[in-house]
């Protein structure tokens, strides 16, 4: 079977996520036959460098031998058992190890990021309710935030393209300004931009705190907003305000957890501890769906009672899946055994030197970097820049999926300098060829077969 066959069959039978399917009449679906390291290979043998870690989930490359082996070993003893009333070795060990890493001693599991958001929102509300504070039923989230797309999570997500259609279904949340460092005015620093956002939040809390259960944030980087990075001082002040006004702090590290920003968890760069920590995406190294919400003894104790209804009566069928937990344990082993955070720091500074040419381009603005994330905003006359650029990059054998006119790299940590150089050369060539095509002439761009 060739690419063309799989593409056609997928186009007819599979409803692809986050997609206007009609666009695939022009833009090809890319069928992938196999993957190893940073490389995806299609059915005709063409290779693509996975510059976005397959939607931010893959940490150590595809097919990593240690993660594969851990799953195979687990498969020989136990694939899955229900977690209500039962338990097993991988889920116990994973919970203990996540607790050691975060100081948050109680781990509740789901299967994807959005369900982790739902769990954190429900737990926060319910814990206040159990303490007799039922009026605390609203949530504050940041402008341009993204916390997933189920109905509860979408209500705290601020991406109109995803949420506007469903407005009638969503419980209105409270939106506060983002600390996005790009908003700093001339002469201002990222810390100044953060301070403005803190002031706005302080005003809202002073008014509304009695009705607010929690503030939910993506620590240090608002991913879906286009890798909007902000100063850690925002998190310091956010923690202070949450304490002062008795509001929970939910850290959504679904995208940035597990080393992506340079520390194991992004909130650690602000020396704070959240009340809830949502994890998913990288947790299994991109092998299996798993999410986790970690929380404090204080929250846990608010549920611990003789009365059943005071317990957290929430579940997903695959909660704590043993195979997924064994993959997550292998991920933690790799971090510890291979000193990944230190290795990544060295790699990142080498990659930064490679990016000089890109940074200096006149059509590249707000070049930014944190840990193993790089992003910049492109000045382009093409209104559909993101799909044109995606397509150009595919032609160069690279998978990069811009968000609007923001191009970002979020590669697997195992990427080499030579592979990074390939990605950068393809980026420069793609920017050049798109700049050379007049606006409105996009249809002349040949679409890959
Ligand atoms: C991806 C993401 C989610 C949602 O996770 P899914 O597994 O796609 O449901 C939530 N929050 C953040 C910050 C994310 O990046």
């Amino acid at each position: 079977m060739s690419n063309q066959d799989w593409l056609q069959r997928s186009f007819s039978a599979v409803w692809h996520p986050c997609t206007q399917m009609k666009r695939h009449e022009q833009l090809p679906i890319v069928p992938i036959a196999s993957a190893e390291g940073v490389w995806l290979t299609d059915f005709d043998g063409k290779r693509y460098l996975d510059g976005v870690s397959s939607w931010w989930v893959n940490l150590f490359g595809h097919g990593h031998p240690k993660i594969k082996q851990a799953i195979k070993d687990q498969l020989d003893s136990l694939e899955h058992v229900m977690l209500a009333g039962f338990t097993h070795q991988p889920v116990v060990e994973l919970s203990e190890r996540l607790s050691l890493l975060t100081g948050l001693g109680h781990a509740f599991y789901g299967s994807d990021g959005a369900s982790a958001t739902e769990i954190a929102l429900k737990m926060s509300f319910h814990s206040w309710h159990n303490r007799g504070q039922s009026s605390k039923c609203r949530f504050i989230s940041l402008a341009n935030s993204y916390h997933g797309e189920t109905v509860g999570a979408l209500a705290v997500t601020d991406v109109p393209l995803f949420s506007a259609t469903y407005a009638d279904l969503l419980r209105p949340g409270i939106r506060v300004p983002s600390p996005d460092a790009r908003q700093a005015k001339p002469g201002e620093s990222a810390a100044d931009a953060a301070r403005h956002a803190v002031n706005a939040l302080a005003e809202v809390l002073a008014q509304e705190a009695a009705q607010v259960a929690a503030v939910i944030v993506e620590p240090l980087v608002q991913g879906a907003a286009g890798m909007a990075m902000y100063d850690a001082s925002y998190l310091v002040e956010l923690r202070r305000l949450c304490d002062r006004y008795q509001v929970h702090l939910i850290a959504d590290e679904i995208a940035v957890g597990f080393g992506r920003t340079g520390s194991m968890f992004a909130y650690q760069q602000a020396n704070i501890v959240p009340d809830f920590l949502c994890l998913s995406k990288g947790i299994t190294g991109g092998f299996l769906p798993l999410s986790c919400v970690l929380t404090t003894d204080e929250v846990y104790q608010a549920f611990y009672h003789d009365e059943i209804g005071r317990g957290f009566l929430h579940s997903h069928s695959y909660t704590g899946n043993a195979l997924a937990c064994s993959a997550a344990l292998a991920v933690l082993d790799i971090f510890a055994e291979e000193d990944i955070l230190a290795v990544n720091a060295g790699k990142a500074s080498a990659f930064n030197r490679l990016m000089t040419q890109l940074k200096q381009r006149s059509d590249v603005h707000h070049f930014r970097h944190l840990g193993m994330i790089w992003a910049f905003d492109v000045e382009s006359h093409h209104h559909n820049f993101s799909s044109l650029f995606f397509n150009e990059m595919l032609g160069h054998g690279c998978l990069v999926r811009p968000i609007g006119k923001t191009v970002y790299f979020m590669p697997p940590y195992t990427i080499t300098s030579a592979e990074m150089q390939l990605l950068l050369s393809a980026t420069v060539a793609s920017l050049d060829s798109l700049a050379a095509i007049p606006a409105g002439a996009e249809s002349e761009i040949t679409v890959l077969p």
Side-chain angles (χ1 to χ4, degrees):
M1 293 276 281
S2 70
N3 271 354
Q4 198 58 35
D5 298 322
W6 286 116
L7 187 161
Q8 280 308 334
R9 285 172 63 181
S10 197
F11 186 55
S12 336
V14 181
W15 198 335
H16 290 264
C18 202
T19 299
Q20 170 48 268
M21 288 299 293
K22 191 164 195 295
R23 295 195 64 197
H24 279 310
E25 288 176 6
Q26 266 103 45
L27 202 66
I29 296 164
V30 188
I32 296 301
S34 63
E36 199 185 336
V38 299
W39 294 101
L40 308 168
T41 306
D42 72 14
F43 285 84
D44 297 340
K46 184 171 164 62
R47 301 203 307 162
Y48 305 91
L49 199 164
D50 188 350
V52 298
S53 297
S54 287
W55 251 358
W56 321 350
V57 300
N58 190 292
L59 297 187
F60 302 120
H62 294 271
H64 192 285
K66 281 188 191 167
I67 305 174
K68 234 156 72 172
Q69 194 57 48
I71 297 170
K72 284 182 180 168
D73 291 347
Q74 183 58 38
L75 203 47
D76 286 336
S77 57
L78 173 72
E79 80 296 338
H80 179 75
V81 64
M82 64 189 285
L83 203 66
F86 292 80
T87 196
H88 54 80
Q89 185 177 345
V91 80
V92 171
E93 288 181 358
L94 180 60
S95 306
E96 289 173 351
R97 287 177 68 177
L98 290 174
S99 163
L100 280 176
L101 286 168
T102 60
L104 298 168
H106 306 276
F108 195 101
Y109 293 90
S111 315
D112 50 44
S115 62
T117 299
E118 301 285 343
I119 289 162
L121 298 177
K122 283 178 71 180
M123 264 187 188
S124 170
F125 163 76
H126 195 169
S127 73
W128 291 121
H129 181 86
N130 281 352
R131 292 205 206 112
Q133 299 199 57
S134 307
S135 67
K136 285 185 162 298
C137 60
R138 301 189 71 193
F139 298 101
I140 295 179
S141 62
L142 273 50
N144 305 322
S145 57
Y146 181 90
H147 300 291
E149 291 168 58
T150 51
V151 172
L154 200 52
V156 290
T157 286
D158 184 34
V159 182
L161 181 64
F162 301 153
S163 60
T165 311
Y166 307 102
D168 288 346
L169 296 183
L170 308 177
R171 220 184 128 71
I174 302 172
R175 222 54 106 227
V176 293
S178 162
D180 185 347
R182 288 175 296 181
Q183 295 172 357
K185 298 188 183 70
E188 283 191 339
S189 64
D192 293 325
R195 192 163 40 77
H196 298 319
V198 165
N199 292 341
L201 173 65
E203 271 180 40
V204 170
L205 281 172
Q207 294 287 317
E208 311 279 353
Q211 304 168 46
V212 174
V215 179
I216 182 167
V217 284
E218 297 161 84
L220 298 187
V221 186
Q222 294 185 289
M227 301 299 155
M229 299 181 183
Y230 63 87
D231 196 74
S233 61
Y234 184 80
L235 297 174
V236 176
E237 293 304 313
L238 171 62
R239 178 70 274 180
R240 203 176 53 78
L241 287 168
C242 286
D243 288 342
R244 174 166 169 205
Y245 287 106
Q246 288 219 2
V247 164
H248 288 139
L249 197 175
I250 302 174
D252 174 355
E253 298 224 5
I254 290 165
V256 295
F258 300 99
R260 193 47 83 172
T261 64
S263 48
M264 192 60 168
F265 301 107
Y267 73 80
Q268 293 168 332
Q269 294 184 39
N271 285 314
I272 59 156
V273 182
D275 299 290
F276 297 90
L277 175 62
C278 300
L279 301 172
S280 187
K281 291 205 165 104
I283 192 169
T284 63
F287 275 65
L288 289 164
L290 180 71
S291 66
C292 179
V293 177
L294 293 156
T295 190
T296 58
D297 288 344
E298 197 183 345
V299 168
Y300 181 78
Q301 287 303 332
F303 292 83
Y304 200 81
H305 199 268
D306 291 327
E307 212 179 296
I308 289 179
R310 284 184 61 138
F312 191 56
L313 307 185
H314 178 107
S315 60
H316 297 285
S317 309
Y318 282 94
T319 293
N321 176 261
L323 294 173
C325 289
S326 70
L329 286 166
V331 164
L332 295 182
D333 285 343
I334 295 169
F335 269 104
E337 288 161 13
E338 302 178 20
D339 203 4
I340 295 298
L341 296 179
V343 172
N344 281 359
K347 275 191 176 185
S349 46
F351 293 168
N352 278 336
R353 286 192 289 279
L354 298 179
M355 295 202 201
T356 313
Q357 192 197 352
L358 201 53
K359 274 187 229 178
Q360 289 168 347
R361 290 177 65 99
S362 60
D363 57 351
V364 165
H365 301 289
H366 293 299
F367 188 96
R368 49 201 182 273
H369 157 247
L370 187 67
M372 291 295 271
I373 308 173
W374 289 265
F376 53 90
D377 305 338
V378 177
E379 193 178 312
S380 166
H381 51 255
H382 298 292
H383 68 281
N384 54 344
F385 171 82
S386 71
S387 48
L388 295 174
F389 186 82
F390 169 80
N391 212 42
E392 281 290 314
M393 289 297 278
L394 220 47
H396 288 283
C398 294
L399 162 51
V400 168
R401 226 177 108 103
I403 299 172
K405 289 183 181 174
T406 296
V407 172
Y408 72 90
F409 309 127
M410 202 152 153
Y413 302 160
T414 47
I415 190 170
T416 63
S417 281
E419 288 161 343
M420 187 48 111
Q421 187 54 61
L422 266 174
L423 192 60
L424 294 175
S425 305
T427 299
V428 167
S430 299
L431 290 175
D432 285 342
S433 50
L434 287 185
I437 296 166
E442 293 92 351
S443 57
E444 290 167 23
I445 296 173
T446 44
V447 165
L448 289 165

